[in-house]
Amino acid sequence: PRAEVRVSLQGRLADISVVELLQFVHLGDRSGTLRLRDDLRVGSVSVHRGRTVGATCPSALPLGKLLVAAALVTPAQLVAAEARQAAMRPRPNLDTVLVEMKAVAMGAIIGAVEEQIKQCIYDLVTWAEGGFEFDVGNVETLADLSPVPGGTVPPVDVHTQGALMEGLQRLDERAHAASAGLEAAAEDTSVKKRDARPTIPVHLIDPASPWLRSVLQIVSRDVELARKISSKVAVERIRSVRVSLRDAGAPGPDEDPPAVLLDLRGGAATLNDLKTIRRVHPRALLVVLTPPETPAAALYAAGAAAVLGPDPDLVAACVISLVGSLRDSSREAAVERGVAEGFARVHRLFQDLRSGALSSTFALNLMAVVSESAERAVLFLVRRQDLKALGAFGTSADGRPLAEATKTLLVPLGAAGALLDGASDGRARVLPFDERRFPPAFGALIGPPRTGQALIVPVLAGQGPVAVLYADNGASVRSLGRTDAIEISAAQVGLAFENHLLRRQLGPRVETSGLHELGA
């Protein structure tokens, strides 16, 4: 007969994180063993009905050594218990023998096992490479630990979600501690710690151009080379700090994932160190310095983003390029999130309007057309006394999604300024962005686009505007170009509003001011 195949889920940790996998088995109240493996390590987490009852990792100990390490039994007691266990038939579990010898209480044994399970989970959540498989129904627990009477698993009960939260909190604390250590080193003026400071003084940077959120971490014994590279990347407002191997790759508070310059010359770091940083901090950009005779293929396979020689100009140019690419990709991801959030909010708000005058279909079509031509946009409803932000996509000047930043934005009609340009003729206008022409609160929130161009599109119906659209290209260098499609979509929305008013006026209930009802 065919052997039963229990493995029902397998894949790569690069696609699904350990945290997501454990949340999956916890929330689904599943039973089985999640096995993890990379090139150097193996680990596992066993769950019974969603709760963790066992775990292994490279630092895990068998039960006897665990109890000795926890100072719950002495080495002599462990030797005596193992001898007694070997002589008994049938052979009992070690925990049973220790309890019968009154060497340790069962509660203390369970406590030590649960603590080791938690420590393994704290370790496993940092794994980002390798493969996984979930063996359904096969619950593996620590050897020599007895199950509860009449049960199949020992009385171990670790709350999976709680252990995950603690593990993630520890990672955050480690990153904060690393950042605090770097800041303390930067303030130390002693000769001993001088090289831990930023290698280019902050006062050489124009005060109007603050440091970027990107940081170059340097792991090297070549102090002079580090200083040369630091001075060159500082021109692009990238701060440099020298860090230890232990702290390499960990971003500080409010910092982007760092670029790490890892110098393999002179024993400052090794190939295994490169693999470890990549595994623990997968988002860090790793630039490796290596002697000319060292083959680069193994370094790239271990996770290097670039392999270079000790040329300060070349290294600085590489770091600047990598940081710029990371920043652009992060901005594009933020724009995509803003688009999704903005569309959802526009759809919800239009459904909530009491008059239903502006069709949600037309509104969504308008924003969809705009998203093809612009990086960000805000749609306002024109009311009797103000403009109310209905929805948005893209990012604000401080990096927040515009859908969130404009949630409560109201602009008095008297202060609308350039937002109502074209209200009389309904024509779209591309005009220079001038914060003095926009409402102060809106101008500060949106911030000037990189091209200096802004698009204003009014939506007319009846005798005046019912909505107005602001759009620009944010941090992109692309110009706004043709706006014909946006104008056509805005006109469709206005026409839909007029048709709705006409149908209502021909009905039994005559409403003379649908616009006022919409803006109520």
Side-chain angles (χ1 to χ4, degrees):
R2 292 183 59 184
E4 180 184 0
V5 178
R6 291 192 301 255
V7 175
S8 63
L9 181 66
Q10 58 185 2
R12 301 183 307 164
L13 293 179
D15 300 323
I16 302 178
S17 70
V18 176
V19 173
E20 293 171 320
L21 290 168
L22 291 180
Q23 286 178 328
F24 165 75
V25 298
H26 167 66
L27 297 176
D29 290 333
R30 291 171 171 82
S31 296
T33 297
L34 175 66
R35 298 190 181 90
L36 312 173
R37 181 184 298 275
D38 66 9
D39 293 338
L40 303 174
R41 305 171 298 178
V42 294
S44 68
V45 179
S46 294
V47 292
H48 181 65
R49 297 177 181 173
R51 301 185 76 86
T52 302
V53 295
T56 63
C57 60
S59 62
L61 298 173
L63 181 61
K65 292 183 179 180
L66 173 63
L67 297 178
V68 171
L72 294 175
V73 300
T74 65
Q77 288 175 320
L78 177 60
V79 171
E82 290 177 337
R84 183 173 177 178
Q85 177 191 30
M88 298 176 67
R89 295 292 183 273
R91 185 178 184 275
N93 288 323
L94 182 61
D95 62 341
T96 302
V97 176
L98 288 168
V99 171
E100 290 179 352
M101 292 173 55
K102 297 184 179 180
V104 63
M106 180 57 74
I109 295 176
I110 297 302
V113 172
E114 290 181 345
E115 182 60 29
Q116 176 167 274
I117 289 173
K118 292 177 183 178
Q119 294 298 327
C120 282
I121 292 178
Y122 303 156
D123 178 20
L124 296 175
V125 296
T126 67
W127 294 21
E129 292 185 353
F132 70 85
E133 63 179 28
F134 183 60
D135 191 350
V136 176
N138 184 21
V139 181
E140 299 175 352
T141 59
L142 191 63
D144 273 324
L145 193 61
S146 302
V148 296
T152 59
V153 297
V156 175
D157 189 4
V158 175
H159 191 275
T160 307
Q161 187 72 8
L164 286 176
M165 295 301 294
E166 175 69 16
L168 294 175
Q169 182 178 352
R170 292 190 177 204
L171 286 177
D172 290 340
E173 290 174 353
R174 189 182 308 167
H176 282 283
S179 176
L182 296 180
E183 292 177 1
E187 295 174 359
D188 196 317
T189 57
S190 66
V191 175
K192 180 178 180 181
K193 295 186 176 181
R194 182 176 180 181
D195 293 331
R197 296 179 300 166
T199 54
I200 189 69
V202 176
H203 69 263
L204 294 183
I205 300 298
D206 182 359
S209 302
W211 296 101
L212 298 177
R213 290 162 51 95
S214 305
V215 173
L216 171 62
Q217 299 177 351
I218 300 178
V219 181
S220 175
R221 295 176 180 174
D222 191 338
V223 178
E224 188 59 29
L225 177 66
R227 287 176 175 164
K228 290 180 180 179
I229 295 171
S230 296
S231 65
K232 295 179 183 299
V233 299
V235 176
E236 295 296 328
R237 298 176 291 126
I238 299 172
R239 185 167 62 92
S240 299
V241 291
R242 295 186 66 212
V243 300
S244 65
L245 270 172
R246 180 186 61 187
D247 298 329
D254 299 321
E255 290 179 357
D256 289 334
V260 179
L261 181 60
L262 193 63
D263 192 346
L264 301 189
R265 304 169 305 143
T270 65
L271 178 63
N272 286 336
D273 294 327
L274 171 62
K275 292 180 178 180
T276 299
I277 297 173
R278 168 58 60 198
R279 182 172 60 249
V280 177
H281 305 289
R283 298 184 62 194
L285 300 171
L286 303 179
V287 179
V288 178
L289 298 186
T290 182
E293 64 272 15
T294 303
L299 300 175
Y300 281 113
V307 178
L308 307 171
D311 182 339
D313 292 324
L314 180 60
V315 173
C318 177
V319 169
I320 292 170
S321 176
L322 289 174
V323 168
S325 298
L326 177 64
R327 193 163 60 245
D328 290 342
S329 64
S330 298
R331 185 181 297 115
E332 290 173 3
V335 168
E336 292 176 0
R337 290 195 302 271
V339 169
E341 294 171 2
F343 281 175
R345 185 162 176 260
V346 168
H347 184 71
R348 183 169 61 254
L349 287 171
F350 271 103
Q351 285 182 326
D352 291 342
L353 290 175
R354 289 186 293 112
S355 68
L358 286 179
S359 164
S360 60
T361 300
F362 280 106
L364 289 172
N365 285 343
L366 172 62
M367 295 298 271
V369 171
V370 175
S371 70
E372 295 176 358
S373 304
E375 296 292 333
R376 57 182 186 174
V378 182
L379 181 62
F380 292 93
L381 173 68
V382 179
R383 306 197 300 183
R384 281 177 291 209
Q385 298 180 348
D386 56 31
L387 304 179
K388 178 181 179 181
L390 285 180
F393 64 82
T395 56
S396 64
D398 59 2
R400 291 182 296 159
L402 276 176
E404 179 67 25
T406 61
K407 184 179 296 184
T408 59
L409 181 61
L410 295 175
V411 177
L413 284 182
L419 289 176
L420 288 182
D421 279 9
S424 59
D425 58 14
R427 298 292 302 274
R429 284 169 167 76
V430 177
L431 45 87
F433 185 93
D434 185 347
E435 292 189 22
R436 294 170 298 179
R437 298 194 59 207
F438 288 96
F442 177 74
L445 173 67
I446 201 78
R450 189 169 182 179
T451 62
Q453 291 181 319
L455 172 66
I456 306 296
V457 183
V459 179
L460 299 186
Q463 301 300 314
V466 293
V468 61
L469 175 76
Y470 170 92
D472 65 35
N473 269 335
S476 173
V477 297
R478 179 169 54 92
S479 62
L480 285 168
R482 295 175 59 85
T483 59
D484 299 0
I486 298 176
E487 285 190 80
I488 293 173
S489 294
Q492 288 178 329
V493 173
L495 181 61
F497 177 75
E498 288 193 72
N499 290 339
H500 180 82
L501 284 185
L502 180 61
R503 287 195 300 271
R504 292 178 60 172
Q505 289 171 353
L506 294 177
R509 297 180 58 191
V510 177
E511 299 284 354
T512 60
S513 182
L515 175 59
H516 288 176
E517 182 184 5
L518 179 64

